[in-house]
Amino acid sequence: MIRLEGITKQYHTGSKQVDALSGVDLTVARGEIFGVIGHSGAGKSTLLRSINLLERPSGGRVFVDGKELTALGAKQLQSERRRIGMIFQHFHLLSSATVADNIAFPLKLVKTPKAEIERKVSELLSLTGLEDHRHKYPSQLSGGQKQRVGIARALANDPQVLLCDEATSALDPQTTNSILNLLLDINRRFGLTIVLITHEMHVIRSICDRVAVIHGGRLVEQGPVTEVFLKPQHPVTREFIEQVTDPVELPSSGDEAARLLRLTFLGDSTYEPILSRAVQSTGVTFSILQGTISKLKDTPYGQLVVKLEGDGEAVKQTIETLRANGLDVEVL
């Protein structure tokens, strides 16, 4: 659906050149929710805006639904952009227009018939839970309500792609979750392809199918969220994982450390008593030092840090049994 090939972006400040993006290759499949996470200044906003050419790359090619946007003239590009909705961190609403008029604005720009505008606005007000706010102005709305208006406006032209520029970073945690649930519902209901950028791993964990980690204008890691979250390879990725996990304090004894394990459960095995069954068969005892059960989008997962005590051979057999039952076992 979306393909970026060798995207570079340079800015010039006086005689100095700043490389915002350096050779970025990225593919987003139709209908998936793809997240890009990075620290401030990493290049994630520049990357997102390169997709609809609000930021024209210095080099490389951008394809959306099989069309190379970087090869289009101004008029053709304007037409293709109508198929790409965008929502922003600070909403960008028209302060002197009502909620209904803000949603209708993109439709009026393309001279949509009045009856069709009314039908579409009513449909989007219902979709985003704003029916009772039709005649209100942005100053009368909460942050979450403003973002719902922004989402409704972005959907007015029935886009195939929705770009989300830090769409929840200005919101409190409860409102963030409601907006994420709305985006997930829209994705499932309409098969809309969503690309979002964020600096919050909670956002990635909640709704994304795949994720790319950007650092210094380069993608340093990418893959399915389950893989990147549970087995991070890059130090920056590990930093973001620590946002939503507690650090592990390991005993100082070398002998104990050799018997410390991190167990990762994924899918249905998360709720199975695999550890209990494994130690029953080997006579090893265990204590849990840390544990969590949660979800990565719809996939349940669990991680336990445990200390095993028993005969060395029995501990080894326990580890083999755990791995044979599909657990990822890391000896700490």
Side-chain angles (χ1 to χ4, degrees):
M1 181 64 183
I2 299 170
R3 190 168 83 251
L4 308 182
E5 295 182 352
I7 297 299
T8 62
K9 179 65 178 182
Q10 289 91 35
Y11 296 102
H12 296 274
T13 55
S15 60
K16 185 179 179 182
Q17 176 177 300
V18 177
D19 294 319
L21 296 174
S22 301
V24 171
D25 296 314
L26 184 66
T27 301
V28 179
R30 187 182 302 276
E32 77 173 337
I33 303 179
F34 192 98
V36 179
I37 190 167
H39 293 298
S40 297
K44 57 187 185 294
S45 289
T46 303
L47 176 60
L48 187 78
R49 290 164 178 262
S50 294
I51 294 174
N52 59 1
L53 299 196
L54 285 181
E55 292 276 1
R56 184 169 281 274
S58 305
R61 301 194 296 172
V62 176
F63 296 84
V64 177
D65 199 22
K67 295 185 179 179
E68 185 184 349
L69 300 193
T70 39
L72 298 181
K75 188 174 182 179
Q76 291 173 301
L77 179 58
Q78 185 179 32
S79 176
E80 289 301 316
R81 277 183 177 150
R82 295 193 191 108
R83 304 167 67 203
I84 306 173
M86 191 164 187
I87 58 176
F88 305 90
Q89 177 181 357
H90 297 297
F91 320 126
H92 291 186
L93 302 181
L94 302 171
S95 61
S96 59
T98 65
V99 167
D101 286 339
N102 266 283
I103 297 171
F105 183 69
L107 297 170
K108 292 177 179 178
L109 285 178
V110 294
K111 297 180 170 50
T112 305
K114 188 174 181 179
E116 175 63 15
I117 291 177
E118 180 62 27
R119 183 196 67 79
K120 190 67 178 179
V121 168
S122 295
E123 177 185 300
L124 290 169
L125 286 169
S126 176
L127 175 69
T128 54
L130 294 169
E131 300 101 315
D132 296 336
H133 305 284
R134 171 188 288 266
H135 301 297
K136 291 183 179 180
Y137 291 87
S139 62
Q140 298 172 291
L141 303 177
S142 68
Q145 290 165 344
K146 290 177 183 176
Q147 194 56 284
R148 286 173 180 268
V149 177
I151 292 171
R153 180 184 59 187
L155 297 176
N157 280 321
D158 297 317
Q160 294 184 324
V161 174
L162 182 62
L163 306 180
C164 304
D165 189 358
E166 294 275 15
T168 61
S169 63
L171 306 175
D172 63 75
Q174 184 176 356
T175 306
T176 290
N177 287 336
S178 72
I179 294 297
L180 294 178
N181 287 333
L182 175 59
L183 291 174
L184 189 56
D185 178 58
I186 290 168
N187 166 258
R188 288 171 170 167
R189 190 179 301 199
F190 304 112
L192 196 66
T193 304
I194 298 178
V195 182
L196 61 86
I197 63 168
T198 183
H199 61 272
E200 299 172 297
M201 183 52 77
H202 166 69
V203 172
I204 301 294
R205 183 177 69 172
S206 297
I207 68 169
C208 291
D209 300 296
R210 291 194 299 134
V211 61
V213 183
I214 189 168
H215 180 65
R218 298 180 182 275
L219 298 187
V220 296
E221 188 165 356
Q222 60 179 303
V225 171
T226 51
E227 180 180 310
V228 173
F229 187 87
L230 297 176
K231 297 180 180 179
Q233 302 299 310
H234 195 275
V236 173
T237 311
R238 296 190 191 102
E239 285 182 32
F240 283 113
I241 301 300
E242 289 171 2
Q243 290 180 355
V244 289
T245 57
D246 296 322
V248 181
E249 294 187 11
L250 302 179
S252 57
S253 166
D255 181 58
E256 284 187 319
R259 299 169 185 266
L260 287 176
L261 309 177
R262 179 185 281 112
L263 310 179
T264 300
F265 306 73
L266 190 63
D268 293 339
S269 69
T270 303
Y271 306 114
E272 296 292 326
I274 297 173
L275 176 59
S276 296
R277 288 199 296 257
V279 297
Q280 285 173 8
S281 64
T282 60
V284 169
T285 60
F286 71 92
S287 54
I288 298 175
L289 305 183
Q290 185 189 84
T292 184
I293 292 178
S294 189
K295 282 189 174 182
L296 297 169
K297 195 174 182 181
D298 299 321
T299 304
Y301 80 95
Q303 282 193 322
L304 296 179
V305 176
V306 300
K307 182 175 69 174
L308 301 186
E309 294 181 294
D311 175 73
E313 190 60 35
V315 169
K316 181 180 177 181
Q317 184 181 344
T318 301
I319 293 173
E320 291 175 353
T321 301
L322 293 170
R323 287 176 171 153
N325 279 273
L327 299 194
D328 182 79
V329 181
E330 179 186 358
V331 179
L332 302 176

